[in-house]
Short mmCIF file of all heavy atoms in Angstrom, two decimals:
data_model
loop_
_atom_site.label_atom_id
_atom_site.label_comp_id
_atom_site.label_asym_id
_atom_site.label_seq_id
_atom_site.Cartn_x
_atom_site.Cartn_y
_atom_site.Cartn_z
N SER Q 23 -17.43 -2.40 0.33
CA SER Q 23 -17.56 -2.17 1.78
C SER Q 23 -16.83 -0.91 2.23
O SER Q 23 -17.07 -0.39 3.31
CB SER Q 23 -17.02 -3.38 2.55
OG SER Q 23 -15.62 -3.51 2.33
N ASP Q 24 -15.91 -0.42 1.41
CA ASP Q 24 -15.17 0.81 1.73
C ASP Q 24 -14.85 1.52 0.41
O ASP Q 24 -14.44 0.86 -0.55
CB ASP Q 24 -13.87 0.43 2.47
CG ASP Q 24 -13.26 1.61 3.20
OD1 ASP Q 24 -12.91 2.61 2.53
OD2 ASP Q 24 -13.13 1.55 4.43
N PRO Q 25 -15.07 2.84 0.35
CA PRO Q 25 -14.85 3.52 -0.93
C PRO Q 25 -13.39 3.90 -1.22
O PRO Q 25 -13.09 4.40 -2.30
CB PRO Q 25 -15.71 4.79 -0.78
CG PRO Q 25 -15.74 5.06 0.68
CD PRO Q 25 -15.62 3.74 1.38
N ARG Q 26 -12.50 3.66 -0.28
CA ARG Q 26 -11.13 4.18 -0.44
C ARG Q 26 -10.24 3.23 -1.26
O ARG Q 26 -9.71 2.26 -0.75
CB ARG Q 26 -10.53 4.47 0.94
CG ARG Q 26 -11.22 5.63 1.63
CD ARG Q 26 -10.82 5.75 3.09
NE ARG Q 26 -11.31 4.65 3.90
CZ ARG Q 26 -11.04 4.51 5.20
NH1 ARG Q 26 -10.26 5.38 5.81
NH2 ARG Q 26 -11.54 3.49 5.88
N PHE Q 27 -10.08 3.61 -2.53
CA PHE Q 27 -9.23 2.83 -3.44
C PHE Q 27 -8.04 3.68 -3.89
O PHE Q 27 -7.40 3.36 -4.89
CB PHE Q 27 -10.04 2.40 -4.68
CG PHE Q 27 -11.13 1.41 -4.40
CD1 PHE Q 27 -12.44 1.84 -4.24
CD2 PHE Q 27 -10.86 0.05 -4.31
CE1 PHE Q 27 -13.46 0.93 -4.00
CE2 PHE Q 27 -11.88 -0.87 -4.06
CZ PHE Q 27 -13.18 -0.42 -3.90
N GLY Q 28 -7.78 4.77 -3.20
CA GLY Q 28 -6.71 5.69 -3.62
C GLY Q 28 -5.33 5.15 -3.32
O GLY Q 28 -5.14 4.32 -2.42
N CYS Q 29 -4.34 5.66 -4.08
CA CYS Q 29 -2.97 5.16 -3.93
C CYS Q 29 -2.19 5.95 -2.88
O CYS Q 29 -0.97 6.06 -2.94
CB CYS Q 29 -2.27 5.19 -5.28
SG CYS Q 29 -3.03 4.02 -6.40
N GLY Q 30 -2.85 6.53 -1.98
CA GLY Q 30 -2.23 7.21 -0.84
C GLY Q 30 -2.61 8.67 -0.82
O GLY Q 30 -2.54 9.30 -1.86
N PRO Q 31 -3.07 9.13 0.34
CA PRO Q 31 -3.31 8.36 1.55
C PRO Q 31 -4.30 7.24 1.29
O PRO Q 31 -5.13 7.33 0.40
CB PRO Q 31 -3.91 9.39 2.53
CG PRO Q 31 -3.48 10.71 2.01
CD PRO Q 31 -3.38 10.56 0.53
N SER Q 32 -4.15 6.20 2.08
CA SER Q 32 -4.90 4.99 1.79
C SER Q 32 -5.88 4.67 2.90
O SER Q 32 -6.00 5.40 3.88
CB SER Q 32 -3.93 3.84 1.58
OG SER Q 32 -3.35 3.50 2.81
N LEU Q 33 -6.51 3.53 2.72
CA LEU Q 33 -7.55 3.09 3.66
C LEU Q 33 -6.96 2.82 5.06
O LEU Q 33 -6.12 1.95 5.23
CB LEU Q 33 -8.13 1.81 3.07
CG LEU Q 33 -9.41 1.19 3.58
CD1 LEU Q 33 -9.90 0.16 2.58
CD2 LEU Q 33 -9.26 0.57 4.93
N ILE Q 34 -7.42 3.60 6.02
CA ILE Q 34 -7.06 3.32 7.43
C ILE Q 34 -8.27 2.62 8.05
O ILE Q 34 -9.36 3.19 8.06
CB ILE Q 34 -6.77 4.63 8.20
CG1 ILE Q 34 -5.60 5.39 7.57
CG2 ILE Q 34 -6.52 4.34 9.68
CD1 ILE Q 34 -5.38 6.77 8.13
N PRO Q 35 -8.11 1.39 8.53
CA PRO Q 35 -9.27 0.69 9.10
C PRO Q 35 -9.85 1.46 10.29
O PRO Q 35 -9.12 1.97 11.13
CB PRO Q 35 -8.69 -0.65 9.56
CG PRO Q 35 -7.45 -0.83 8.75
CD PRO Q 35 -6.90 0.55 8.54
N MET Q 36 -11.17 1.53 10.33
CA MET Q 36 -11.83 2.22 11.43
C MET Q 36 -11.54 1.54 12.77
O MET Q 36 -11.57 2.16 13.82
CB MET Q 36 -13.35 2.29 11.18
CG MET Q 36 -13.73 3.32 10.13
SD MET Q 36 -13.09 4.96 10.58
CE MET Q 36 -12.24 5.43 9.11
N SER Q 37 -11.22 0.23 12.71
CA SER Q 37 -10.88 -0.46 13.96
C SER Q 37 -9.61 0.14 14.60
O SER Q 37 -9.46 0.13 15.82
CB SER Q 37 -10.68 -1.96 13.71
OG SER Q 37 -9.64 -2.14 12.77
N TYR Q 38 -8.72 0.70 13.75
CA TYR Q 38 -7.51 1.32 14.32
C TYR Q 38 -7.88 2.61 15.05
O TYR Q 38 -7.30 2.96 16.07
CB TYR Q 38 -6.49 1.65 13.23
CG TYR Q 38 -5.90 0.46 12.49
CD1 TYR Q 38 -4.97 0.66 11.47
CD2 TYR Q 38 -6.25 -0.84 12.80
CE1 TYR Q 38 -4.42 -0.42 10.78
CE2 TYR Q 38 -5.73 -1.93 12.12
CZ TYR Q 38 -4.81 -1.71 11.10
OH TYR Q 38 -4.28 -2.77 10.43
N VAL Q 39 -8.87 3.30 14.48
CA VAL Q 39 -9.32 4.54 15.12
C VAL Q 39 -9.96 4.20 16.47
O VAL Q 39 -9.73 4.88 17.47
CB VAL Q 39 -10.31 5.30 14.20
CG1 VAL Q 39 -10.73 6.63 14.82
CG2 VAL Q 39 -9.70 5.53 12.81
N GLU Q 40 -10.71 3.09 16.49
CA GLU Q 40 -11.33 2.66 17.76
C GLU Q 40 -10.26 2.24 18.77
O GLU Q 40 -10.36 2.57 19.95
CB GLU Q 40 -12.30 1.50 17.50
CG GLU Q 40 -13.63 1.98 16.93
CD GLU Q 40 -14.38 0.89 16.17
OE1 GLU Q 40 -14.07 -0.30 16.35
OE2 GLU Q 40 -15.27 1.26 15.37
N SER Q 41 -9.23 1.55 18.30
CA SER Q 41 -8.15 1.15 19.23
C SER Q 41 -7.45 2.37 19.80
O SER Q 41 -7.05 2.38 20.97
CB SER Q 41 -7.10 0.30 18.52
OG SER Q 41 -7.68 -0.77 17.89
N LEU Q 42 -7.32 3.40 18.96
CA LEU Q 42 -6.68 4.63 19.44
C LEU Q 42 -7.55 5.26 20.52
O LEU Q 42 -7.05 5.68 21.58
CB LEU Q 42 -6.46 5.60 18.27
CG LEU Q 42 -5.82 6.93 18.62
CD1 LEU Q 42 -4.42 6.74 19.18
CD2 LEU Q 42 -5.75 7.84 17.40
N LEU Q 43 -8.84 5.28 20.27
CA LEU Q 43 -9.79 5.85 21.23
C LEU Q 43 -9.67 5.10 22.57
O LEU Q 43 -9.71 5.71 23.64
CB LEU Q 43 -11.21 5.71 20.66
CG LEU Q 43 -12.32 6.53 21.29
CD1 LEU Q 43 -12.02 8.02 21.19
CD2 LEU Q 43 -13.64 6.24 20.59
N ALA Q 44 -9.47 3.79 22.46
CA ALA Q 44 -9.41 2.96 23.67
C ALA Q 44 -8.17 3.26 24.53
O ALA Q 44 -8.13 2.89 25.70
CB ALA Q 44 -9.44 1.48 23.29
N THR Q 45 -7.18 3.93 23.97
CA THR Q 45 -6.00 4.27 24.80
C THR Q 45 -6.32 5.43 25.75
O THR Q 45 -5.52 5.75 26.63
CB THR Q 45 -4.76 4.63 23.94
OG1 THR Q 45 -5.04 5.83 23.21
CG2 THR Q 45 -4.35 3.52 23.00
N GLY Q 46 -7.49 6.05 25.53
CA GLY Q 46 -7.94 7.13 26.42
C GLY Q 46 -6.89 8.22 26.58
O GLY Q 46 -6.25 8.61 25.59
N PRO Q 47 -6.68 8.66 27.82
CA PRO Q 47 -5.75 9.78 28.03
C PRO Q 47 -4.31 9.33 28.23
O PRO Q 47 -3.48 10.08 28.74
CB PRO Q 47 -6.30 10.43 29.30
CG PRO Q 47 -6.90 9.30 30.05
CD PRO Q 47 -7.38 8.29 29.05
N HIS Q 48 -3.99 8.10 27.86
CA HIS Q 48 -2.67 7.56 28.23
C HIS Q 48 -1.64 7.57 27.11
O HIS Q 48 -0.51 7.17 27.31
CB HIS Q 48 -2.85 6.14 28.78
CG HIS Q 48 -3.84 6.08 29.89
ND1 HIS Q 48 -3.65 6.74 31.09
CD2 HIS Q 48 -5.08 5.53 29.96
CE1 HIS Q 48 -4.71 6.57 31.87
NE2 HIS Q 48 -5.59 5.84 31.19
N LEU Q 49 -2.06 8.01 25.92
CA LEU Q 49 -1.08 8.05 24.83
C LEU Q 49 -1.15 9.38 24.08
O LEU Q 49 -0.19 10.16 24.08
CB LEU Q 49 -1.31 6.87 23.87
CG LEU Q 49 -0.26 6.71 22.79
CD1 LEU Q 49 1.10 6.33 23.37
CD2 LEU Q 49 -0.68 5.64 21.77
N LEU Q 50 -2.28 9.65 23.45
CA LEU Q 50 -2.45 10.93 22.74
C LEU Q 50 -2.27 12.07 23.73
O LEU Q 50 -2.83 12.03 24.83
CB LEU Q 50 -3.85 11.04 22.14
CG LEU Q 50 -4.10 10.48 20.76
CD1 LEU Q 50 -5.49 10.87 20.29
CD2 LEU Q 50 -3.07 10.97 19.75
N GLY Q 51 -1.48 13.06 23.32
CA GLY Q 51 -1.30 14.20 24.22
C GLY Q 51 -0.27 13.95 25.30
O GLY Q 51 -0.13 14.75 26.23
#
Side-chain angles (χ1 to χ4, degrees):
S23 65
D24 198 299
R26 292 169 292 177
F27 293 97
C29 294
S32 70
L33 193 166
I34 299 171
M36 285 304 128
S37 59
Y38 296 179
V39 182
E40 281 158 18
S41 307
L42 179 62
L43 195 60
T45 64
H48 306 296
L49 187 66
L50 273 188

